[in-house]
Amino acid sequence: MDRSAHVGHVWPSFEVTVERGAAVAFARGLDEPAPVHLDAQAARAAGWRDVLTLPTFPIAISTERVDLIYDMLKRLAIDPARILHANQRFVHHQPICVGDRLVGTKRIGAITDRKGGALTFIDTVIDYRNAQGELVCEDHCCLVARNT
């Protein structure tokens, strides 16, 4: 199946507000000791708008939209049981703090077959923008589908 026609596909945007409980729980779950990631007063004293999220926090946002992954796999005719998470990286253009309202837009960046078609690598990006439309963070994810 030629999946290249799906490169560039964009899903409808979604809105998210960064919640205090989620940001602090994420930091605690990673044993983060820095007060700016745990306490609003400490974060403000350090010059942040509110609690500063950890750089990997967007993974917590994207996992709330797992429906987008399932829709993508359905579009590509890939059995979810045959995928592996290959990598994840984040490119930050601005800090993300508790209370920030973001708009996320997911797209398929690339689809590459390897090992003679035995593996398909699917690269996606979720761009998160603030209320002014400025790019805040890029969430790059690569999934691998086993085709054999």
Side-chain angles (χ1 to χ4, degrees):
M1 171 183 200
D2 181 19
R3 297 179 173 123
S4 62
H6 295 282
V7 173
H9 177 79
V10 178
W11 281 265
S13 297
F14 59 94
E15 294 183 21
V16 62
T17 300
V18 178
E19 297 179 0
R20 183 174 317 282
V24 171
F26 189 85
R28 285 188 178 139
L30 295 174
D31 291 327
E32 175 58 50
V36 296
H37 299 296
L38 304 167
D39 178 72
Q41 187 175 1
R44 289 185 186 114
W48 301 106
R49 296 180 299 281
D50 205 318
V51 169
L52 177 66
T53 63
L54 289 173
T56 54
F57 181 74
I59 190 71
I61 298 171
S62 65
T63 56
E64 291 291 319
R65 292 306 312 264
V66 72
D67 60 304
L68 298 177
I69 295 172
Y70 284 109
D71 183 70
M72 177 183 70
L73 295 175
K74 183 177 177 183
R75 283 178 181 279
L76 299 175
I78 294 174
D79 179 357
R82 302 190 65 78
I83 64 163
L84 300 169
H85 184 262
N87 70 47
Q88 192 97 24
R89 68 183 175 88
F90 306 96
V91 179
H92 289 271
H93 301 276
Q94 297 181 33
I96 299 174
C97 294
V98 165
D100 287 357
R101 297 182 73 178
L102 303 173
V103 174
T105 307
K106 181 174 183 160
R107 64 184 159 79
I108 297 177
I111 300 174
T112 309
D113 286 328
R114 296 187 187 160
K115 300 282 186 185
L119 300 174
T120 299
F121 287 72
I122 306 147
D123 295 300
T124 63
V125 180
I126 301 176
D127 289 330
Y128 290 102
R129 296 184 179 275
N130 62 20
Q132 292 75 38
E134 301 166 327
L135 186 59
V136 174
C137 179
E138 302 166 46
D139 175 348
H140 296 261
C141 177
C142 180
L143 298 177
V144 179
R146 295 174 288 123
N147 297 318
T148 58

